[in-house]
Amino acid sequence: MKYYFYRSPLFKVYATVEEGYVRMHTSGVASKLLMPVVSGFFDMFEGSKVAKVMDDQLIFSTWMPPIPSKAFERLVKSQMGAMRGKFVPEQVTISITEECPNNCLHCALPDTKNKASLPLEIIKSAIDQCLDLGSTFIIFDGGEPLLYEGLEELISYVDREKAITGMFTSGVGFTHEKALSLKAAGLDMLSVSLDSANEKGHDSMRGRVGVFRDAMNTIRYSLDAGLLVNIYVVLSPLNIHELEDFYNLSTKMGVHEISFFEIVPTGRWIDHEKDVLTKEDLKKFDDFVKWANKQEGPRIFSIPHVLRKLGCFAGRKWIHITPQGDVNPCACMPLVVGNIYQEKISDIWKKLRSNPEFNAGPCLMLNDKFRSKYILNNLE
């Protein structure tokens, strides 16, 4: 089966899947001429595991539109635009509410007295504006988005010709009926947060007894309902020793993908400049990724490796909208660029893109000079 990434009379790019791994191909009279242009694109996919193979579509990753699809065509278009220096907010996370029963040690949202939520119509307007800019992935976040009344309405509102939808959850109060409801609304990806592969460690990190069981039930119910499921792990010095445990648990549960993000000093972790991964930790993680990619379990999405290769996506490919309507370059960067109650997102995006800091360098939240200039000074 050929899964086409791009197709024209002169040049075609497509993938085949062999024993669960992607093999990239080109054809057409312009192949030799255009191969140098798409070589970086090839490197991203060639030899990688896939999340799911279907009869007519390939789910390379739970973070990416199906191949082929109208939304994926838009993503390819945005990638080609980025090569020319024209960037769009491909991935938008919207924290629709601050309400949450957990008290996570590393929550990216700063503590506030009043738990804010964005009105339904304001979120719909933000979705429309982001889709107009070229976004291809709309993610609903919190707090805990399951506590937001109207969640399914927001999910079904997103135009699937333009973008896919995702949601981060801890699984609080999740039921089989909720999984079916989210599936019926059109949710494309459910990402379940996990901070430890064992119950005691996860509950301790999340500040609530029972949240590990909630997460496990959420995974089971969601898979039974036919949802694409990703386990999302924020790697820190507290859980770096559990890498194989995370993978073995993910394999046992049968999820489609397990994603790893490197912790940064932000939110409740803002003062933990030294509590980040060391060079030894990163080496351990590198070795783990090489090992895991050879196993028969789920696809690994290593965000640190992607950002190391392609540069930080904050303000280039990502934006984040807070429950107060503030727009940040990413969910981990509390730098307010504008507010959706006061400005158009297109104007905020132009303002953000005019800042030379967002130039594909390493993660800015791990840069002491950037944090001192833009983050810590603003918190005083």
Side-chain angles (χ1 to χ4, degrees), residues 96-146:
I96 55 180
T97 181
E98 283 183 298
E99 293 290 345
C100 184
N102 305 315
N103 189 29
C104 302
L105 292 176
H106 62 328
C107 181
L109 281 178
D111 290 313
T112 56
K113 294 181 180 178
N114 299 315
K115 298 301 181 183
S117 294
L118 287 167
L120 198 69
E121 294 307 315
I122 292 294
I123 300 172
K124 288 182 177 180
S125 174
I127 291 171
D128 288 338
Q129 292 179 65
C130 290
L131 293 182
D132 287 344
L133 281 170
S135 300
T136 51
F137 195 12
I138 306 295
I139 302 174
F140 300 106
D141 197 1
E144 175 50 70
L146 287 173

Side-chain angles (χ1 to χ4, degrees), residues 336-360:
V336 178
V337 187
N339 188 284
I340 61 174
Y341 287 103
Q342 301 163 2
E343 303 170 78
K344 293 180 179 179
I345 295 177
S346 58
D347 292 335
I348 298 172
W349 181 249
K350 288 178 183 176
K351 194 190 315 180
L352 182 53
R353 291 302 310 137
S354 68
N355 188 331
E357 297 278 12
F358 302 99
N359 60 1

Side-chain angles (χ1 to χ4, degrees), residues 305-314 316-317 359-363:
H305 283 94
V306 172
L307 301 189
R308 203 181 305 168
K309 184 175 182 178
L310 301 178
C312 184
F313 288 173
R316 284 196 313 131
K317 296 175 181 287
N359 60 1
C363 175

Side-chain angles (χ1 to χ4, degrees), residues 9-187:
L10 299 178
F11 183 58
K12 297 178 179 66
V13 179
Y14 63 93
T16 57
V17 180
E18 302 174 14
E19 298 181 349
Y21 293 86
V22 171
R23 294 290 176 256
M24 295 297 295
H25 312 269
T26 63
S27 63
V29 296
S31 288
K32 288 186 179 180
L33 177 65
L34 294 177
M35 189 58 194
V37 178
V38 299
S39 60
F41 204 59
F42 261 53
D43 291 344
M44 185 185 304
F45 293 93
E46 176 65 32
S48 297
K49 277 187 186 179
V50 297
K52 185 178 181 179
V53 178
M54 299 186 292
D55 291 338
D56 58 345
Q57 287 183 318
L58 172 67
I59 307 293
F60 176 71
S61 169
T62 60
W63 297 82
M64 187 178 293
I67 306 167
S69 66
K70 293 292 186 182
F72 184 75
E73 288 177 13
R74 276 168 54 94
L75 179 60
V76 172
K77 183 179 178 181
S78 72
Q79 296 299 313
M80 295 175 69
M83 293 178 186
R84 302 190 303 270
K86 183 179 180 180
F87 293 90
V88 303
E90 296 169 7
Q91 179 177 302
V92 180
T93 52
I94 308 175
S95 285
I96 55 180
T97 181
E98 283 183 298
E99 293 290 345
C100 184
N102 305 315
N103 189 29
C104 302
L105 292 176
H106 62 328
C107 181
L109 281 178
D111 290 313
T112 56
K113 294 181 180 178
N114 299 315
K115 298 301 181 183
S117 294
L118 287 167
L120 198 69
E121 294 307 315
I122 292 294
I123 300 172
K124 288 182 177 180
S125 174
I127 291 171
D128 288 338
Q129 292 179 65
C130 290
L131 293 182
D132 287 344
L133 281 170
S135 300
T136 51
F137 195 12
I138 306 295
I139 302 174
F140 300 106
D141 197 1
E144 175 50 70
L146 287 173
L147 300 179
Y148 187 90
E149 187 174 346
L151 175 61
E152 284 87 348
E153 184 176 346
L154 290 174
I155 292 169
S156 62
Y157 184 77
V158 178
D159 185 348
R160 289 312 185 285
E161 295 281 297
K162 296 179 178 179
I164 61 171
T165 58
M167 188 182 85
F168 283 102
T169 182
S170 67
V172 57
F174 202 86
T175 62
H176 182 60
E177 290 72 25
K178 190 65 174 180
L180 292 173
S181 178
L182 293 173
K183 175 67 174 178
L187 184 68

